[in-house]
């Protein structure tokens, strides 16, 4: 027996055997207990597989192999998230076309995944930029559209003034464009939305049924948004309680707590904010608005961050008991949800 482990010989031999025996192919209509394990699909870039990919894929693989040996019919597929900006930008950088770069990168990823011995069922491989695949995403979209569950609306988007393009939240790094480093602005642009609010109640309730860390569930709750609540009007007043004639609508899921309200919060981009801010508070409020415009919604709703806000100098009259409450702006209130207050 060899004293030293020789991966070049041993691994190739066994990987070939696994392949020939189609060991990782999930059986259709098997009487065995089932396990479906899905890793996120990578977007194939020219850099190849990173240690970060391996850190995600290897634990799933160990789990799948364990279940496989316990007699489960394991479905462990892999595919390629090869559409959209990352694939396009990579091709631009290489002065090529995604239809040329993507297949080349996929072949390399696949070679590397086999090299580290992951037990994928390659007979079920998908590629999101292949017409055979995206005809189904188009079919789903049309179905949602016809049923009024996909619609177009205006919402703030990340805009790079020098690249003159919209950026995904993930492409904004510390308020700057990942490509050119310019400070990213928020602009109101028409965008497509899915009406998940139609299912908000069910989505929220079913979070109780899954075994996820509480922090992740909290983030999901923030994303799903509020489904049931009450909207009411609040009059704006000065510090002495003199009404200004202006008002705003407030949304709350807890109307029973209105009596004990101690402050009201507007989204920084609420159209009334600059109108009602008093002159002594203006500098601080404007600085806060400028800062929040550079943050993504992901950053604004993160459960990790401290929730802060600034006082506008204006007050609102609690409609239940007539008491004055200070009006703050805070970036965890999003203009796209509820009334922005
Ligand atoms: Zn840019």
């Amino acid at each position: 027996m060899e004293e030293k482990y020789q991966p070049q010989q041993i691994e190739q031999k066994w990987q070939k055997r696994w392949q020939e025996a189609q060991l990782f192919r999930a059986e259709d209509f098997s009487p065995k207990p089932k396990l479906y394990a899905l890793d996120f699909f990578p977007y194939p870039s020219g850099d190849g597989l990173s240690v970060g990919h391996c850190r995600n894929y290897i634990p799933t693989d160990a789990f799948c192999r364990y279940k496989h040996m316990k007699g489960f019919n394991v479905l462990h597929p892999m595919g390629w998230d090869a559409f959209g900006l990352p694939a396009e930008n990579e091709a631009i950088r290489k002065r090529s076309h995604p239809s040329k770069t993507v297949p080349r990168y996929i072949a390399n990823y696949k070679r590397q995944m086999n090299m580290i011995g992951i037990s994928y069922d390659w007979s079920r491989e998908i590629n999101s930029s292949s017409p055979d695949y995206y005809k189904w995403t188009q079919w789903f979209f049309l179905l949602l559209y016809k049923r009024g569950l996909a619609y177009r609306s205006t919402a703030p988007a990340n805009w790079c003034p020098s690249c003159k393009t919209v950026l995904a939240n993930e492409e904004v790094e510390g308020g700057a464009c990942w490509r050119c480093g310019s400070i990213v602005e928020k602009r109101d642009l028409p965008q497509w939305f899915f009406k998940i609010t139609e299912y908000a109640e069910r989505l929220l309730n079913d979070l109780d049924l899954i075994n996820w860390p509480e922090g992740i569930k909290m983030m999901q709750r923030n994303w799903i948004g509020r489904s049931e609540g009450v909207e009411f009007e609040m009059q704006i007043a000065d510090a002495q309680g003199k009404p200004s004639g202006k008002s705003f609508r407030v949304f709350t899921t807890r109307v029973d707590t209105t009596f004990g309200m101690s402050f009201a919060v507007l989204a920084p981009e609420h159209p009334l904010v600059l109108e009602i801010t008093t002159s002594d508070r203006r500098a601080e409020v404007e600085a806060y608005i400028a800062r929040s415009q550079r943050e993504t919604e992901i950053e604004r709703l993160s459960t990790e961050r401290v929730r802060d806000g600034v006082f506008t100098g204006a007050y609102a009259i609690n409609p239940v008991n007539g008491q004055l409450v200070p009006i703050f702006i805070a970036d965890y209130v999003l203009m796209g949800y509820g009334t922005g207050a």
Side-chain angles (χ1 to χ4, degrees):
M1 204 181 117
E2 285 269 1
E3 282 293 305
K4 233 178 118 199
Y5 176 58
Q6 303 282 2
Q8 290 87 347
Q9 294 159 21
I10 294 166
E11 289 180 1
Q12 273 183 14
K13 176 189 158 190
W14 287 104
Q15 283 163 11
K16 194 159 165 270
R17 277 278 282 278
W18 296 338
Q19 220 164 13
E20 282 166 2
Q22 300 202 352
L23 201 61
F24 308 123
R25 193 166 180 155
E27 300 162 37
D28 292 330
F29 313 109
S30 161
K32 292 178 190 170
K34 295 177 203 169
L35 177 80
Y36 176 40
L38 183 68
D39 279 316
F40 75 91
F41 296 151
Y43 60 84
S45 81
D47 300 330
L49 220 55
S50 71
V51 174
H53 286 113
C54 301
R55 192 191 64 184
N56 284 306
Y57 298 146
I58 290 171
T60 317
D61 188 56
F63 181 66
C64 287
R65 284 170 177 271
Y66 170 74
K67 287 292 192 180
H68 190 253
M69 288 193 284
K70 294 281 273 186
F72 278 71
N73 182 28
V74 176
L75 172 52
H76 189 202
M78 186 32 80
W80 316 102
D81 178 7
F83 236 149
L85 280 172
E88 190 185 330
N89 286 328
E90 179 77 21
I92 291 170
R93 241 194 318 271
K94 296 277 156 66
R95 296 174 190 283
S96 183
H97 191 277
S99 66
K100 292 207 179 72
T101 52
V102 165
R104 201 163 65 224
Y105 298 156
I106 286 178
N108 188 40
Y109 268 58
K110 204 168 163 178
R111 181 184 66 83
Q112 292 177 314
M113 283 170 167
N114 284 327
M115 203 186 235
I116 60 172
I118 305 185
S119 61
Y120 291 131
D121 179 353
W122 288 113
S123 71
R124 293 163 203 264
E125 176 183 357
I126 63 105
N127 172 357
S128 66
S129 62
S130 138
D132 284 343
Y133 180 84
Y134 68 67
K135 70 177 180 190
W136 293 110
T137 52
Q138 289 172 338
W139 182 77
F140 275 124
F141 179 83
L142 287 174
L143 217 57
L144 291 164
Y145 181 68
K146 282 177 195 150
R147 296 182 183 181
L149 295 169
Y151 62 98
R152 226 161 137 75
S153 175
T154 309
N158 305 309
W159 176 260
C160 173
S162 66
C163 297
K164 301 204 186 324
T165 179
V166 173
L167 300 174
N169 281 335
E170 292 75 9
E171 294 171 328
V172 182
E173 292 165 354
C177 169
W178 70 283
R179 199 182 293 128
C180 72
S182 306
I183 295 295
V184 172
E185 296 168 2
K186 283 276 162 68
R187 281 210 186 167
D188 282 326
L189 296 169
Q191 299 172 54
W192 283 100
F193 290 89
F194 291 124
K195 209 169 184 180
I196 60 161
T197 43
E198 288 282 295
Y199 301 91
E201 207 55 44
R202 233 171 93 192
L203 289 167
L204 288 169
N205 290 341
D206 288 1
L207 279 175
D208 294 335
L209 306 176
I210 50 175
N211 179 23
W212 286 5
E214 195 45 44
I216 306 265
K217 285 190 183 183
M218 178 67 95
M219 269 168 86
Q220 293 292 320
R221 286 189 193 104
N222 283 333
W223 277 114
I224 295 164
R226 300 161 294 196
S227 53
E228 277 180 11
V230 175
E231 260 186 57
F232 58 90
E233 197 85 11
M234 287 188 85
Q235 303 298 322
I236 296 170
D238 64 14
Q240 282 71 46
K242 188 167 148 274
S244 65
K246 296 190 183 82
S247 66
F248 59 95
R249 291 194 76 74
V250 177
F251 179 91
T252 179
T253 52
R254 294 288 310 276
V255 71
D256 53 310
T257 61
T258 306
F259 192 85
M261 187 194 304
S262 52
F263 58 89
V265 184
L266 295 176
E269 54 276 71
H270 195 290
L272 271 178
V273 169
L274 288 174
E275 272 182 54
I276 62 169
T277 299
T278 55
S279 53
D280 58 318
R281 305 293 309 156
R282 184 160 293 269
E284 207 181 326
V285 166
E286 282 176 352
Y288 189 87
I289 294 172
R291 199 192 76 191
S292 74
Q293 279 172 342
R294 291 196 295 269
E295 292 188 325
T296 65
E297 288 192 1
I298 291 177
E299 287 166 338
R300 286 173 63 168
L301 288 178
S302 164
T303 51
E304 306 287 306
R305 57 179 290 172
V306 185
R307 295 196 154 178
D308 62 352
V310 295
F311 178 42
T312 59
Y315 291 80
I317 301 169
N318 184 339
V320 182
N321 57 14
Q323 278 182 3
L324 283 184
V325 291
I327 302 174
F328 282 76
I329 57 168
D331 57 12
Y332 63 85
V333 179
L334 297 178
M335 209 48 215
Y337 292 106
T339 59

